[in-house]
Amino acid sequence: MKKPVTVTITGAAGNIGYALAFRIASGQMLGPDQPINLNLLEIPAALGAVQGVVMELNDCAFLTLNKVSASDDARIAFKDCEVAMLVGARPRGPGMERKDLLLENAKIFSAQGKALDAAASRDVRVLVVGNPANTNALIAQRNAPSLSPDRFTAMTRLDHNRALAQVSEKTGAPLAKIKKAVIWGNHSATQYPDLNHATVDGKPALAEVGESWFKQTFIPTVQQRGAAVIKARGSSSAASAASAAVDHMHDWVLGSRETDWVSMAVPSDGSYGIAEGVIYSYPVTCKGGRYAIVQGLEIDAFSREKMQLTHRELTEERDGVKDLI
Protein backbone atom coordinates (compact mmCIF):
# COMPACT_ATOMS: atom_id res chain seq x y z
CA MET A 1 0.00 0.00 0.00
CA LYS A 2 1.42 3.36 -1.04
CA LYS A 3 1.63 6.25 1.38
CA PRO A 4 -1.34 8.62 0.85
CA VAL A 5 -0.72 11.81 -1.11
CA THR A 6 -2.28 14.96 0.33
CA VAL A 7 -4.18 16.98 -2.28
CA THR A 8 -5.77 20.36 -1.57
CA ILE A 9 -8.52 21.92 -3.69
CA THR A 10 -9.48 25.56 -3.17
CA GLY A 11 -12.96 26.73 -4.07
CA ALA A 12 -14.06 23.14 -3.66
CA ALA A 13 -17.79 23.92 -3.49
CA GLY A 14 -17.72 25.80 -6.79
CA ASN A 15 -18.60 24.20 -10.11
CA ILE A 16 -15.03 23.36 -11.16
CA GLY A 17 -13.90 22.34 -7.67
CA TYR A 18 -16.94 20.11 -7.27
CA ALA A 19 -16.31 18.39 -10.62
CA LEU A 20 -12.62 18.05 -9.79
CA ALA A 21 -12.95 16.56 -6.31
CA PHE A 22 -14.60 13.32 -7.46
CA ARG A 23 -12.14 12.79 -10.32
CA ILE A 24 -9.22 13.10 -7.91
CA ALA A 25 -10.80 11.01 -5.17
CA SER A 26 -11.57 8.19 -7.62
CA GLY A 27 -7.92 7.84 -8.63
CA GLN A 28 -8.16 9.32 -12.11
CA MET A 29 -5.46 11.93 -11.47
CA LEU A 30 -2.70 10.07 -9.61
CA GLY A 31 -3.57 6.48 -10.41
CA PRO A 32 -5.87 3.69 -9.17
CA ASP A 33 -3.29 2.45 -6.65
CA GLN A 34 -2.52 5.84 -5.05
CA PRO A 35 -4.42 6.65 -1.83
CA ILE A 36 -5.49 10.28 -1.46
CA ASN A 37 -5.97 12.53 1.55
CA LEU A 38 -8.22 15.27 0.20
CA ASN A 39 -8.35 18.71 1.82
CA LEU A 40 -11.07 21.11 0.66
CA LEU A 41 -10.66 24.87 1.21
CA GLU A 42 -13.58 27.26 1.01
CA ILE A 43 -14.55 30.74 2.18
CA PRO A 44 -16.58 30.87 5.43
CA ALA A 45 -19.83 31.57 3.58
CA ALA A 46 -19.48 28.30 1.64
CA LEU A 47 -18.56 26.03 4.55
CA GLY A 48 -22.02 24.50 4.65
CA ALA A 49 -21.92 23.71 0.95
CA VAL A 50 -18.45 22.21 1.14
CA GLN A 51 -19.52 19.97 4.02
CA GLY A 52 -22.12 18.61 1.63
CA VAL A 53 -19.31 17.84 -0.83
CA VAL A 54 -17.48 15.98 1.97
CA MET A 55 -20.60 13.94 2.62
CA GLU A 56 -20.97 13.05 -1.05
CA LEU A 57 -17.31 12.08 -1.37
CA ASN A 58 -17.65 9.77 1.61
CA ASP A 59 -20.86 8.33 0.16
CA CYS A 60 -19.01 7.39 -3.05
CA ALA A 61 -16.82 4.97 -1.05
CA PHE A 62 -13.87 5.46 -3.38
CA LEU A 63 -11.18 2.88 -2.62
CA THR A 64 -8.47 5.49 -3.27
CA LEU A 65 -9.91 8.11 -0.90
CA ASN A 66 -8.16 7.65 2.43
CA LYS A 67 -9.78 10.65 4.13
CA VAL A 68 -11.39 13.97 3.28
CA SER A 69 -11.72 17.17 5.31
CA ALA A 70 -12.86 20.76 4.77
CA SER A 71 -11.73 24.08 6.24
CA ASP A 72 -11.86 27.83 5.73
CA ASP A 73 -8.31 28.20 7.07
CA ALA A 74 -5.68 28.05 4.30
CA ARG A 75 -2.87 26.97 6.61
CA ILE A 76 -4.92 24.01 7.80
CA ALA A 77 -6.00 23.08 4.27
CA PHE A 78 -2.44 23.33 2.90
CA LYS A 79 -0.83 21.46 5.81
CA ASP A 80 1.74 19.06 4.29
CA CYS A 81 -0.06 19.11 0.95
CA GLU A 82 1.87 17.69 -1.98
CA VAL A 83 -0.55 18.74 -4.72
CA ALA A 84 -2.41 22.06 -4.60
CA MET A 85 -5.20 22.78 -7.08
CA LEU A 86 -5.96 26.51 -6.77
CA VAL A 87 -9.39 26.76 -8.31
CA GLY A 88 -11.24 29.34 -6.22
CA ALA A 89 -11.01 32.90 -7.57
CA ARG A 90 -13.07 36.04 -7.72
CA PRO A 91 -15.13 36.09 -10.93
CA ARG A 92 -15.49 39.28 -12.94
CA GLY A 93 -18.59 41.18 -11.89
CA PRO A 94 -20.74 43.66 -13.86
CA GLY A 95 -18.75 46.74 -14.82
CA MET A 96 -15.51 45.29 -13.42
CA GLU A 97 -12.43 46.12 -15.46
CA ARG A 98 -9.70 43.50 -15.99
CA LYS A 99 -7.37 45.52 -13.76
CA ASP A 100 -9.94 45.44 -10.94
CA LEU A 101 -10.27 41.67 -11.35
CA LEU A 102 -6.48 41.31 -11.21
CA LEU A 103 -6.23 43.30 -7.99
CA GLU A 104 -9.07 41.43 -6.27
CA ASN A 105 -7.56 38.07 -7.14
CA ALA A 106 -4.08 39.25 -6.25
CA LYS A 107 -5.24 39.56 -2.64
CA ILE A 108 -6.54 35.98 -2.65
CA PHE A 109 -3.50 34.41 -4.28
CA SER A 110 -0.94 36.38 -2.28
CA ALA A 111 -2.57 35.04 0.90
CA GLN A 112 -2.64 31.51 -0.51
CA GLY A 113 1.00 31.78 -1.55
CA LYS A 114 1.92 32.74 2.01
CA ALA A 115 -0.10 29.82 3.39
CA LEU A 116 1.59 27.38 0.98
CA ASP A 117 4.97 28.78 1.99
CA ALA A 118 4.17 28.22 5.66
CA ALA A 119 2.40 24.85 5.58
CA ALA A 120 2.82 22.86 2.36
CA SER A 121 5.32 20.13 1.57
CA ARG A 122 8.57 21.52 0.14
CA ASP A 123 7.93 19.34 -2.92
CA VAL A 124 4.38 20.61 -3.48
CA ARG A 125 3.16 20.89 -7.06
CA VAL A 126 0.82 23.84 -7.55
CA LEU A 127 -1.66 24.26 -10.40
CA VAL A 128 -3.56 27.54 -10.64
CA VAL A 129 -6.90 27.21 -12.43
CA GLY A 130 -8.64 30.36 -11.15
CA ASN A 131 -8.42 33.23 -13.63
CA PRO A 132 -6.43 35.21 -14.58
CA ALA A 133 -4.53 31.96 -14.04
CA ASN A 134 -1.03 32.85 -15.27
CA THR A 135 -0.72 36.00 -13.20
CA ASN A 136 -2.45 34.44 -10.18
CA ALA A 137 0.22 31.71 -10.32
CA LEU A 138 2.95 34.36 -10.43
CA ILE A 139 1.46 36.12 -7.41
CA ALA A 140 1.26 32.90 -5.40
CA GLN A 141 4.80 31.98 -6.42
CA ARG A 142 6.26 35.33 -5.38
CA ASN A 143 4.55 35.06 -2.00
CA ALA A 144 6.09 31.64 -1.33
CA PRO A 145 9.83 32.42 -1.30
CA SER A 146 10.86 29.21 0.47
CA LEU A 147 9.34 27.04 -2.28
CA SER A 148 11.11 26.45 -5.57
CA PRO A 149 9.65 28.75 -8.26
CA ASP A 150 9.21 25.82 -10.65
CA ARG A 151 6.61 24.33 -8.30
CA PHE A 152 4.05 26.88 -9.57
CA THR A 153 2.18 26.39 -12.83
CA ALA A 154 -1.02 27.65 -14.46
CA MET A 155 -3.48 25.76 -16.60
CA THR A 156 -3.53 26.02 -20.37
CA ARG A 157 -4.31 22.32 -20.77
CA LEU A 158 -7.97 23.17 -21.37
CA ASP A 159 -6.92 25.32 -24.34
CA HIS A 160 -4.61 22.51 -25.49
CA ASN A 161 -7.45 19.99 -25.30
CA ARG A 162 -9.76 22.38 -27.17
CA ALA A 163 -7.14 22.70 -29.90
CA LEU A 164 -6.89 18.92 -30.29
CA ALA A 165 -10.66 18.62 -30.46
CA GLN A 166 -10.91 21.25 -33.21
CA VAL A 167 -8.30 19.47 -35.34
CA SER A 168 -10.02 16.13 -34.80
CA GLU A 169 -13.36 17.62 -35.85
CA LYS A 170 -11.80 19.23 -38.93
CA THR A 171 -9.85 16.17 -40.14
CA GLY A 172 -11.88 13.29 -38.77
CA ALA A 173 -8.73 11.86 -37.21
CA PRO A 174 -8.94 10.24 -33.75
CA LEU A 175 -7.55 12.40 -30.97
CA ALA A 176 -4.81 9.86 -30.28
CA LYS A 177 -3.42 10.51 -33.78
CA ILE A 178 -3.07 14.28 -33.24
CA LYS A 179 0.21 15.29 -31.63
CA LYS A 180 2.42 18.26 -30.78
CA ALA A 181 -0.16 21.05 -30.78
CA VAL A 182 1.03 24.02 -28.70
CA ILE A 183 -0.58 26.76 -26.65
CA TRP A 184 1.80 29.69 -26.22
CA GLY A 185 1.40 32.45 -23.63
CA ASN A 186 -1.53 33.52 -21.53
CA HIS A 187 -4.76 31.70 -20.71
CA SER A 188 -6.73 34.53 -22.28
CA ALA A 189 -7.98 35.63 -25.68
CA THR A 190 -4.39 36.58 -26.60
CA GLN A 191 -3.10 33.00 -26.31
CA TYR A 192 -1.57 31.56 -29.47
CA PRO A 193 -2.78 28.06 -30.43
CA ASP A 194 -0.07 26.82 -32.79
CA LEU A 195 -0.20 23.93 -35.28
CA ASN A 196 3.10 24.61 -37.05
CA HIS A 197 4.75 21.64 -35.33
CA ALA A 198 1.66 19.45 -34.97
CA THR A 199 1.00 16.22 -36.82
CA VAL A 200 -2.13 14.30 -37.77
CA ASP A 201 -1.41 10.59 -38.09
CA GLY A 202 2.23 11.44 -38.70
CA LYS A 203 1.53 14.06 -41.39
CA PRO A 204 2.02 17.83 -40.94
CA ALA A 205 -1.18 19.22 -39.45
CA LEU A 206 -1.10 22.44 -41.47
CA ALA A 207 -1.08 20.45 -44.70
CA GLU A 208 -4.10 18.49 -43.47
CA VAL A 209 -6.21 21.46 -42.34
CA GLY A 210 -4.98 24.25 -44.61
CA GLU A 211 -3.33 27.50 -43.62
CA SER A 212 -6.49 29.54 -44.19
CA TRP A 213 -8.52 27.41 -41.75
CA PHE A 214 -5.63 27.52 -39.25
CA LYS A 215 -5.44 31.32 -39.23
CA GLN A 216 -9.04 32.33 -39.82
CA THR A 217 -11.00 29.63 -37.97
CA PHE A 218 -8.84 27.52 -35.68
CA ILE A 219 -6.99 30.28 -33.81
CA PRO A 220 -10.04 32.46 -32.99
CA THR A 221 -12.16 29.40 -32.16
CA VAL A 222 -9.69 28.15 -29.55
CA GLN A 223 -9.07 31.67 -28.24
CA GLN A 224 -12.80 32.36 -27.80
CA ARG A 225 -13.98 28.88 -26.83
CA GLY A 226 -14.58 29.82 -23.19
CA ALA A 227 -16.85 32.69 -24.22
CA ALA A 228 -18.70 30.41 -26.63
CA VAL A 229 -19.39 27.92 -23.82
CA ILE A 230 -20.71 30.70 -21.58
CA LYS A 231 -22.99 31.91 -24.38
CA ALA A 232 -24.30 28.39 -25.01
CA ARG A 233 -24.87 27.13 -21.47
CA GLY A 234 -25.12 30.35 -19.47
CA SER A 235 -22.12 29.62 -17.28
CA SER A 236 -18.42 29.02 -17.73
CA SER A 237 -16.66 25.74 -18.49
CA ALA A 238 -16.65 23.50 -15.42
CA ALA A 239 -16.43 19.79 -16.23
CA SER A 240 -13.99 20.37 -19.10
CA ALA A 241 -11.85 22.64 -16.91
CA ALA A 242 -11.79 20.01 -14.17
CA SER A 243 -10.87 17.33 -16.72
CA ALA A 244 -8.00 19.48 -18.02
CA ALA A 245 -6.73 20.07 -14.46
CA VAL A 246 -6.66 16.31 -13.93
CA ASP A 247 -4.76 15.89 -17.21
CA HIS A 248 -2.23 18.59 -16.27
CA MET A 249 -1.38 17.13 -12.88
CA HIS A 250 -1.53 13.51 -14.04
CA ASP A 251 1.11 14.17 -16.70
CA TRP A 252 3.27 16.31 -14.42
CA VAL A 253 3.39 13.60 -11.74
CA LEU A 254 3.22 10.42 -13.80
CA GLY A 255 4.66 11.56 -17.14
CA SER A 256 3.36 12.61 -20.54
CA ARG A 257 3.30 10.41 -23.65
CA GLU A 258 6.84 9.90 -24.92
CA THR A 259 6.08 10.87 -28.51
CA ASP A 260 3.97 13.92 -27.70
CA TRP A 261 3.98 17.29 -25.93
CA VAL A 262 1.51 18.98 -23.63
CA SER A 263 0.97 22.68 -22.92
CA MET A 264 1.67 24.02 -19.44
CA ALA A 265 2.06 27.60 -18.24
CA VAL A 266 5.35 27.54 -16.34
CA PRO A 267 7.88 30.12 -15.10
CA SER A 268 9.72 31.43 -18.15
CA ASP A 269 13.44 30.67 -18.24
CA GLY A 270 14.03 32.92 -21.25
CA SER A 271 13.16 30.25 -23.81
CA TYR A 272 11.95 31.56 -27.19
CA GLY A 273 12.73 35.15 -26.23
CA ILE A 274 10.17 35.30 -23.43
CA ALA A 275 11.67 37.28 -20.56
CA GLU A 276 11.99 35.65 -17.17
CA GLY A 277 9.46 36.73 -14.57
CA VAL A 278 6.16 35.67 -16.12
CA ILE A 279 4.23 32.39 -16.14
CA TYR A 280 4.04 31.58 -19.84
CA SER A 281 2.53 28.59 -21.62
CA TYR A 282 5.05 26.45 -23.47
CA PRO A 283 5.13 23.00 -25.06
CA VAL A 284 6.59 20.69 -22.43
CA THR A 285 7.38 17.05 -21.83
CA CYS A 286 6.98 15.48 -18.39
CA LYS A 287 9.04 12.65 -16.94
CA GLY A 288 10.03 11.57 -13.45
CA GLY A 289 7.80 14.15 -11.80
CA ARG A 290 9.37 17.09 -13.64
CA TYR A 291 8.52 19.10 -16.74
CA ALA A 292 10.92 20.37 -19.41
CA ILE A 293 10.26 23.03 -22.03
CA VAL A 294 10.62 21.68 -25.57
CA GLN A 295 13.62 23.44 -27.11
CA GLY A 296 14.85 24.20 -30.61
CA LEU A 297 11.56 24.76 -32.42
CA GLU A 298 11.63 26.99 -35.48
CA ILE A 299 9.39 30.02 -35.03
CA ASP A 300 8.17 31.85 -38.14
CA ALA A 301 7.36 35.56 -38.27
CA PHE A 302 3.59 35.03 -37.87
CA SER A 303 4.09 32.89 -34.79
CA ARG A 304 6.67 35.25 -33.31
CA GLU A 305 4.23 38.15 -33.53
CA LYS A 306 1.48 36.14 -31.85
CA MET A 307 3.82 34.93 -29.11
CA GLN A 308 5.02 38.45 -28.35
CA LEU A 309 1.46 39.81 -28.26
CA THR A 310 0.44 37.42 -25.48
CA HIS A 311 3.79 38.04 -23.73
CA ARG A 312 3.05 41.77 -23.65
CA GLU A 313 -0.31 41.12 -22.02
CA LEU A 314 1.36 39.03 -19.33
CA THR A 315 3.94 41.70 -18.57
CA GLU A 316 1.16 44.30 -18.35
CA GLU A 317 -0.73 42.07 -15.91
CA ARG A 318 2.44 41.57 -13.86
CA ASP A 319 3.06 45.31 -13.73
CA GLY A 320 -0.55 45.89 -12.65
CA VAL A 321 -0.03 43.85 -9.45
CA LYS A 322 3.64 44.73 -8.84
CA ASP A 323 2.92 45.96 -5.31
CA LEU A 324 1.75 42.46 -4.32
CA ILE A 325 4.69 40.53 -5.77
Side-chain angles (χ1 to χ4, degrees), residues 37-59:
N37 291 335
L38 194 57
N39 296 340
L40 309 180
L41 178 65
E42 260 298 356
I43 59 174
L47 271 182
V50 82
Q51 287 296 340
V53 179
V54 172
M55 293 164 67
E56 281 200 83
L57 284 163
N58 283 326
D59 290 349

Side-chain angles (χ1 to χ4, degrees), residues 179-232:
K179 298 181 179 180
K180 298 184 177 178
V182 180
I183 304 296
W184 299 99
N186 200 5
H187 175 60
S188 75
T190 70
Q191 65 175 265
Y192 173 42
D194 183 7
L195 295 179
N196 279 283
H197 315 283
T199 60
V200 178
D201 200 13
K203 303 169 187 173
L206 284 182
E208 295 297 301
V209 303
E211 190 166 335
S212 176
W213 180 83
F214 166 60
K215 292 182 176 179
Q216 297 175 22
T217 301
F218 172 78
I219 292 173
T221 297
V222 177
Q223 289 175 331
Q224 302 291 339
R225 187 66 166 185
V229 170
I230 291 172
K231 183 177 180 181

Side-chain angles (χ1 to χ4, degrees), residues 19-297:
L20 184 58
F22 296 87
R23 297 283 299 273
I24 294 173
S26 67
Q28 292 180 51
M29 186 172 81
L30 297 182
D33 61 344
Q34 177 58 65
I36 300 292
N37 291 335
L38 194 57
N39 296 340
L40 309 180
L41 178 65
E42 260 298 356
I43 59 174
L47 271 182
V50 82
Q51 287 296 340
V53 179
V54 172
M55 293 164 67
E56 281 200 83
L57 284 163
N58 283 326
D59 290 349
C60 286
F62 291 125
L63 298 181
T64 44
L65 184 59
N66 187 57
K67 65 178 180 180
V68 57
S69 62
S71 177
D72 62 356
D73 186 323
R75 291 204 180 195
I76 293 174
F78 288 132
K79 176 68 174 171
D80 298 327
C81 89
E82 296 152 275
V83 174
M85 316 289 279
L86 307 190
V87 178
R90 169 77 182 271
R92 183 181 289 191
M96 182 181 284
E97 297 293 332
R98 186 172 178 85
K99 182 179 179 181
D100 298 328
L101 181 67
L102 277 167
L103 290 172
E104 286 299 314
N105 278 300
K107 298 172 187 175
I108 295 170
F109 285 87
S110 58
Q112 291 186 355
K114 290 182 173 73
L116 283 162
D117 197 55
S121 163
R122 300 301 87 181
D123 293 324
V124 66
R125 290 177 177 83
V126 181
L127 170 61
V128 176
V129 177
N131 288 318
N134 297 53
T135 297
N136 286 341
L138 178 66
I139 293 163
Q141 177 207 67
R142 295 289 184 87
N143 282 275
S146 73
L147 297 173
S148 177
D150 67 2
R151 302 281 89 188
F152 289 83
T153 66
M155 190 172 82
T156 51
R157 184 59 175 267
L158 177 55
D159 309 298
H160 182 97
N161 289 349
R162 288 166 169 167
L164 297 177
Q166 290 300 311
V167 175
S168 176
E169 187 175 318
K170 172 67 174 175
T171 63
L175 286 162
K177 297 290 186 180
I178 302 165
K179 298 181 179 180
K180 298 184 177 178
V182 180
I183 304 296
W184 299 99
N186 200 5
H187 175 60
S188 75
T190 70
Q191 65 175 265
Y192 173 42
D194 183 7
L195 295 179
N196 279 283
H197 315 283
T199 60
V200 178
D201 200 13
K203 303 169 187 173
L206 284 182
E208 295 297 301
V209 303
E211 190 166 335
S212 176
W213 180 83
F214 166 60
K215 292 182 176 179
Q216 297 175 22
T217 301
F218 172 78
I219 292 173
T221 297
V222 177
Q223 289 175 331
Q224 302 291 339
R225 187 66 166 185
V229 170
I230 291 172
K231 183 177 180 181
R233 68 183 295 262
S235 57
S236 59
S237 304
S240 58
S243 184
V246 167
D247 291 344
H248 176 115
M249 196 60 70
H250 173 278
D251 286 356
W252 188 0
V253 175
L254 300 178
S256 54
R257 291 192 296 175
E258 287 189 8
T259 58
D260 202 0
W261 310 331
V262 293
S263 298
M264 290 173 60
V266 303
S268 173
D269 61 357
S271 293
Y272 299 100
I274 304 303
E276 295 182 39
V278 295
I279 308 289
Y280 191 92
S281 183
Y282 286 101
V284 305
T285 57
C286 302
K287 187 175 183 179
R290 303 191 67 83
Y291 59 79
I293 296 170
V294 175
Q295 299 292 340
L297 299 179

